[in-house]
Amino acid sequence: MDSETLIARLLDRKWAKLQSQIPYVFNNSDYFRSRFRAAGVDDPRDIRTLEDFRALPIMMDKASHRQSQLDSLEAHGHPFGMHLCVPKEKIIHVAATSGTTGHPTFYTYTRRDLEITQKIFADMFDVATIRPGDTVYTAFGLSLWLAGVTIVLGLEAYGATPVPVGAEAGPTKILQYLKLTRPRVLMGTPSLLSHLIERAPAEIDCEVGDLGVEVLFCGGEPGAGIPAIRDRLTGAYGAKIYDITGGAWHNGTISCASADYHGMHQMGDDYSFRWDLVDPETKKPLPLADGTVGEVVQTGLEYEAGPAFRYAIGDIIRLRAGECPGCGRVGTRMEILGRTDDILNLKGVKVYPASVKEVVSEFQPDISGQVQILLDAPPPRVEPPLQVRVEAGETLRDGDRAALAKRIEDRIHNVLSIRARIELVDFGTIGRSNLKTKLLVVRGAD
């Protein structure tokens, strides 16, 4: 099936579900009803086509999500938002994300929402060759985070055996439990799993490749899709690696294990419109075709509790459709290119921080893989050259540093068309994070 036919069929299925979801959110939430009316829609039946739906304005983003929570806390005594479409008593599960602000946004689930989430997780586990009965070590952050308790519940429902130590335990305890439990599957952020490679010999007197891990299930930050980082992780652990997103509003994506990265397969296409793309500046809908790049406006197609509906989640993605060159699976895939709130503009040249990290990562093992982009003010405007702090590899000789910095600067200029100034620092200088590693650092910011 060609990509155009595939996308047309998927859009037909999404529109069939939207014809129920549109009146559902309109009739069950004052928040959404007011957004419709502000857009000139007094009756949900006035949205007659998918084009009508895609022409609606964005109805929520992270800022308005948080404001909705504050409003419901004041009005109803709970922080789950004025956009909630069910009575609070029907919420059986809560997750959250803090993003880059540190302020949580809550995701609420009815029993049916959670059951569908677990079905999508099961499909992702199946792609990652996780089997019922497998011991799965979960080193994502626990607490309320989407990759924490929610994914542990999904593993239990699937029939696997999660070991939920969590990233909060720190590298010493994580490695001790890994050596003790010998899991087939290890879940965590790429930066944490990379950090464990460095720490294992001193902490548990062996290499991570001696632990018997066969599957790395990574998410939460760029890395698992970057060739140099993928090669470092798969080489050290002797395992296959899968790049994932998932958990919120029936979104779930996972890469295949091919040597080359081809983006992440959509597992929730029947339940979430994850690739409704708009122009990041005008917010106008873009034609949906293989290769389209745009900002995501997400909508849950059957979500009950606090649905995403015309929600600008901040991701910039490239849509892929058709047969995957890596595994042959037919469907849609996405490549996350960056976020609307971290794009850098250097004299008219727009660059995503993840792209800088990808170029710098090519120089491993001369560098450790730890990178920071230093800014004098929040993005997007940056006065060139871009200041990039790069941690030297453990065995890099002092006399080789100047030449290496110049090579990295030249490579960034050739690939990204920007000027950069590389500051090479000693191995171990850049702090490691057990959760998401902060790539952008604004000097003087709290």
Side-chain angles (χ1 to χ4, degrees):
M1 184 187 308
D2 64 82
S3 62
E4 185 176 349
T5 301
L6 173 65
I7 287 177
R9 290 185 180 181
L10 288 172
L11 290 176
D12 285 345
R13 282 156 53 182
K14 292 180 190 301
W15 173 238
K17 292 193 173 186
L18 281 167
Q19 290 176 73
S20 297
Q21 190 70 357
I22 290 169
Y24 173 77
V25 301
F26 184 96
N27 293 324
N28 289 285
S29 166
D30 289 339
Y31 176 95
F32 286 120
R33 190 158 46 248
S34 68
R35 296 308 192 270
F36 272 103
R37 288 175 173 161
V41 179
D42 293 320
D43 188 323
R45 290 172 294 186
D46 292 341
I47 308 300
R48 296 184 175 91
T49 65
L50 181 66
E51 289 71 27
D52 290 342
F53 168 77
R54 296 194 66 215
L56 289 169
I58 290 168
M59 294 192 176
M60 184 172 275
D61 57 17
K62 290 289 186 182
S64 57
H65 188 161
R66 293 188 178 100
Q67 186 60 52
S68 176
Q69 293 178 172
L70 293 174
D71 292 344
S72 73
L73 186 61
E74 182 175 346
H76 303 301
H78 67 72
F80 302 132
M82 299 298 290
H83 58 288
L84 199 65
C85 290
V86 298
K88 178 181 172 295
E89 293 72 24
K90 287 195 173 183
I91 297 172
I92 67 158
H93 182 70
V94 177
T97 182
S98 63
T100 57
T101 67
H103 300 291
T105 48
F106 291 107
Y107 305 104
T108 51
Y109 299 73
T110 64
R111 187 168 302 281
R112 185 168 183 274
D113 293 334
L114 190 59
E115 287 171 351
I116 294 174
T117 297
Q118 291 175 349
K119 176 187 180 303
I120 293 167
F121 273 139
D123 291 341
M124 294 167 65
F125 299 155
D126 186 60
V127 170
T129 71
I130 301 172
R131 302 183 292 256
D134 278 348
T135 299
V136 181
Y137 193 102
T138 56
F140 287 121
L142 290 177
S143 187
L144 283 171
W145 314 134
L146 287 165
V149 174
T150 309
I151 208 167
V152 170
L153 292 177
L155 287 164
E156 291 176 346
Y158 184 70
T161 308
V163 180
V165 176
E168 297 88 345
T172 299
K173 185 167 287 187
I174 288 172
L175 285 164
Q176 290 171 348
Y177 274 84
L178 278 172
K179 190 172 184 180
L180 183 66
T181 59
R182 297 298 175 112
R184 180 171 176 267
V185 182
L186 173 58
M187 296 182 168
T189 63
S191 56
L192 173 59
L193 302 193
S194 182
H195 187 34
L196 297 180
I197 296 171
E198 300 169 5
R199 294 285 293 271
E203 299 287 356
I204 55 174
D205 196 30
C206 70
E207 306 287 343
V208 292
D210 300 325
L211 298 173
V213 174
E214 297 177 17
V215 174
L216 301 175
F217 195 86
C218 295
E221 64 183 14
I226 296 175
I229 296 176
R230 287 171 67 85
D231 290 347
R232 170 173 164 79
L233 291 172
T234 56
Y237 284 90
K240 294 181 179 180
I241 190 169
Y242 298 86
D243 190 17
I244 70 102
T245 70
W249 307 303
H250 299 153
N251 161 51
T253 67
I254 184 169
S255 66
C256 54
S258 64
D260 296 322
Y261 186 77
H262 300 287
M264 291 176 281
H265 292 269
Q266 303 276 352
M267 296 289 106
D269 244 344
D270 282 337
Y271 301 101
S272 179
F273 198 174
R274 182 69 167 82
W275 39 272
D276 186 1
L277 302 181
V278 299
D279 183 283
E281 295 182 357
T282 68
K283 309 302 180 184
K284 299 296 184 183
L286 295 169
L288 298 176
D290 180 48
T292 297
V293 173
E295 178 183 357
V296 172
V297 179
Q298 185 170 341
T299 297
L301 300 177
E302 297 185 27
Y303 211 86
E304 293 182 338
F309 190 88
R310 304 292 300 159
Y311 193 128
I313 62 175
D315 285 344
I316 303 291
I317 72 165
R318 177 181 288 111
L319 171 63
R320 291 298 187 193
E323 182 176 325
C324 174
C327 66
R329 184 186 184 99
V330 176
T332 59
R333 290 167 282 124
M334 70 174 191
E335 302 168 13
I336 299 180
L337 304 181
R339 290 188 54 79
T340 56
D341 55 2
D342 69 7
I343 189 170
L344 307 175
N345 189 335
L346 289 87
K347 299 292 187 182
V349 180
K350 296 179 180 179
V351 177
Y352 292 104
S355 299
V356 177
K357 181 173 182 177
E358 181 168 3
V359 172
V360 175
S361 295
E362 295 176 8
F363 291 85
Q364 292 179 332
D366 286 339
I367 68 163
S368 72
Q370 298 297 317
V371 180
Q372 291 178 330
I373 297 172
L374 306 178
L375 304 177
D376 292 321
R381 195 171 302 279
V382 179
E383 190 67 29
L386 184 66
Q387 307 294 317
V388 184
R389 180 178 293 156
V390 177
E391 188 179 275
E394 195 167 8
T395 59
L396 182 69
R397 297 180 303 182
D398 289 344
D400 294 335
R401 291 194 177 197
L404 175 60
K406 180 66 166 56
R407 285 166 49 214
I408 297 174
E409 290 170 355
D410 290 344
R411 181 64 174 160
I412 289 175
H413 185 263
N414 290 336
V415 175
L416 303 177
S417 300
I418 62 170
R419 289 190 298 114
R421 180 171 296 148
I422 301 300
E423 177 193 0
L424 272 173
V425 297
D426 292 343
F427 179 81
T429 300
I430 298 178
R432 273 58 168 168
S433 172
N434 295 335
L435 301 172
K436 297 181 182 181
T437 295
K438 199 168 185 177
L439 183 54
L440 286 182
V441 176
V442 180
R443 293 184 177 98
D446 293 334

